[in-house]
Amino acid sequence: MKVLLYTEFAKLNGKSGLGKAIQHQMKALEDNKIEYTTDPKCKDYDIIHINFYGPKSYYMAKKARKLGKKVIYHAHSTEEDFRNSFIFSNQIAPLFKKWICKCYRLGDHIVTPTEYSKKLLENYHLNRPITAISNGIDMSFFERNEENGKKFRRDFGYQETDKVIMGVGLYLERKGILTFVELAKRLPQYKFIWFGYSPLTFSPRKIKKAVRTKLDNLVFAGYVEPSVLRGAYSGADLYIFPTLEETEGIPILEALTEKIPTLISDIPIFEFLKDGKHVYKAKTIEEYEEKTKAIIEGKLPNLTEEGYKMVAEREIKRAGKQLADLYYQVLDGK
């Protein structure tokens, strides 16, 4: 069996969660000794695994079907997580849904990261089998390391006594960047740092204004290499993920693997994480403010061990085995 991993705009998507998911797919194939290629000109593949919804992806899926190849379409995106992304994204979201449905229906099988996103897709009436398989987390890479944490603090100029709160994501309203900036304003006694970057050209004015906010306790670090991010998880005091919608949210898996106290949005996608057991959750800015202070000041129990146990279920080797099994099932026509 040979798999063609095809990702349109691979360079553009390389610094996003999608880019990480594709890296994990490659590792899964390697771990399970399945031959693969990323060359779109390849002709001797058996299955094409498509990770994006652009016109070239649609063309590649149509072409593969004509050649009698099997098609797995990876549904990383939904109408729901398309909203609150850039200018006019909410207005064109219904059209986006029609387009991705047209793309996804070209798959013999659809893969999506969580049971939550699977439920959303089932309501799209795609008439295709859908399997939820986590994007996975490389727990050997994102392993808590105190020396990496100290290096992070030195590199970014933080003192040992500073209380550092970190966030990760593109410059999108959906990622909760407005909540993060508002928290920095309300809690000047703590240091806030946001990792991640996306061009602001098509961002709403309020997102541009948020990213350009000048506060002594707020830093937008931009895109950093995974090794730097790994150090931040080990060196910061709290990870906050105020996202409005996700299909999985790889950074939260990374954070929990590194055993950093975690505060996230109380939204349906995170139903597998229990509030007060694995993480803490908040719905309003007031709840975020209250729980941030309580976690930092040690007034709430540390949940990191339970969070780590939960993430272990999404370890990359386990997710990779599930993906490999699906390839064989699809190839056999099951």
Side-chain angles (χ1 to χ4, degrees):
M1 176 171 61
K2 186 174 183 178
V3 177
L4 168 56
L5 283 180
Y6 181 70
T7 308
E8 191 175 354
F9 304 119
K11 290 184 178 179
L12 181 63
N13 288 312
K15 296 179 180 180
S16 67
L18 175 57
K20 290 182 179 180
I22 295 158
Q23 292 171 12
H24 291 176
Q25 289 167 17
M26 292 179 180
K27 191 173 190 316
L29 288 162
E30 291 163 3
D31 287 345
N32 288 277
K33 297 180 172 55
I34 296 175
E35 185 181 1
Y36 76 92
T37 179
T38 57
D39 182 3
K41 296 180 181 178
C42 174
K43 296 180 180 179
D44 65 340
Y45 64 90
D46 301 293
I47 297 174
I48 184 170
H49 184 156
I50 298 177
N51 280 286
F52 201 62
Y53 46 75
K56 289 184 179 179
S57 300
Y58 181 80
Y59 166 77
M60 289 293 288
K62 292 276 285 187
K63 180 181 176 182
R65 293 186 71 87
K66 286 182 181 179
L67 293 172
K69 311 287 190 180
K70 296 293 185 180
V71 179
I72 288 181
Y73 224 115
H74 212 124
H76 296 282
S77 298
T78 64
E79 177 192 10
E80 288 75 8
D81 80 349
F82 180 77
R83 292 179 178 274
N84 298 307
S85 297
F86 51 85
I87 296 174
F88 302 127
S89 62
N90 289 1
Q91 289 86 339
I92 66 174
L95 292 176
F96 175 77
K97 179 182 178 180
K98 288 183 179 179
W99 171 250
I100 60 173
C101 286
K102 187 175 182 178
C103 292
Y104 294 163
R105 287 191 182 104
L106 290 174
D108 294 287
H109 205 105
I110 297 169
V111 178
T112 195
T114 58
E115 290 295 333
Y116 169 76
S117 55
K118 178 182 176 181
K119 289 176 185 176
L120 293 180
L121 293 169
E122 286 173 342
N123 289 330
Y124 290 5
H125 306 294
L126 299 171
N127 298 317
R128 293 290 185 273
I130 305 171
T131 299
I133 300 176
S134 171
N135 288 314
I137 174 68
D138 187 349
M139 298 185 77
S140 63
F141 181 83
F142 286 99
E143 184 176 8
R144 189 166 186 83
N145 184 296
E146 299 305 323
E147 288 304 314
N148 288 342
K150 290 177 182 177
K151 184 178 187 303
F152 154 72
R153 285 187 173 251
R154 288 196 303 269
D155 290 347
F156 286 89
Y158 294 124
Q159 302 298 314
E160 190 175 331
T161 54
D162 287 336
K163 298 300 182 182
V164 181
I165 298 167
M166 64 177 289
V168 180
L170 302 177
Y171 294 159
L172 304 177
E173 182 178 357
R174 176 173 65 81
K175 292 296 182 179
I177 199 167
L178 298 179
T179 297
F180 194 82
V181 171
E182 178 61 24
L183 278 174
K185 291 178 181 178
R186 293 187 178 207
L187 300 170
Q189 68 270 38
Y190 305 140
K191 306 292 185 181
F192 289 76
I193 183 167
W194 181 278
F195 294 99
Y197 169 83
S198 53
L200 290 171
T201 307
F202 300 106
S203 299
R205 184 180 300 174
K206 57 186 173 182
I207 298 301
K208 293 177 181 177
K209 182 179 179 181
V211 173
R212 292 166 182 162
T213 300
K214 301 298 182 183
L215 294 173
D216 291 339
N217 67 328
L218 175 64
V219 172
F220 284 96
Y223 172 79
V224 296
E225 293 298 324
S227 58
V228 177
L229 193 58
R230 175 177 61 181
Y233 288 128
S234 288
D237 297 282
L238 174 64
Y239 168 70
I240 289 184
F241 196 27
T243 180
L244 305 179
E245 181 70 26
E246 297 288 328
T247 52
E248 182 168 39
I250 292 178
I252 195 171
L253 305 183
E254 297 169 348
L256 292 176
T257 299
E258 293 237 20
K259 299 182 179 180
I260 176 175
T262 298
L263 175 59
I264 64 174
S265 293
D266 190 357
I267 55 178
I269 176 62
F270 296 135
E271 61 188 2
F272 69 97
L273 295 168
K274 303 305 179 186
D275 185 21
K277 180 179 179 180
H278 306 114
V279 297
Y280 288 105
K281 296 183 179 181
K283 287 184 177 179
T284 65
I285 186 64
E286 288 77 20
E287 285 184 5
Y288 265 107
E289 181 180 4
E290 179 184 347
K291 290 190 176 182
T292 294
K293 289 190 290 186
I295 294 169
I296 291 290
E297 294 168 12
K299 294 181 179 178
L300 286 173
N302 188 304
L303 309 176
T304 55
E305 290 299 330
E306 288 298 320
Y308 180 86
K309 291 176 185 176
M310 172 57 71
V311 173
E313 297 178 8
R314 289 166 167 76
E315 205 279 329
I316 192 168
K317 288 185 179 179
R318 182 177 297 188
K321 179 64 166 56
Q322 292 174 327
L323 186 59
D325 288 346
L326 181 62
Y327 284 149
Y328 284 112
Q329 291 172 21
V330 171
L331 193 59
D332 292 340
K334 295 182 180 178

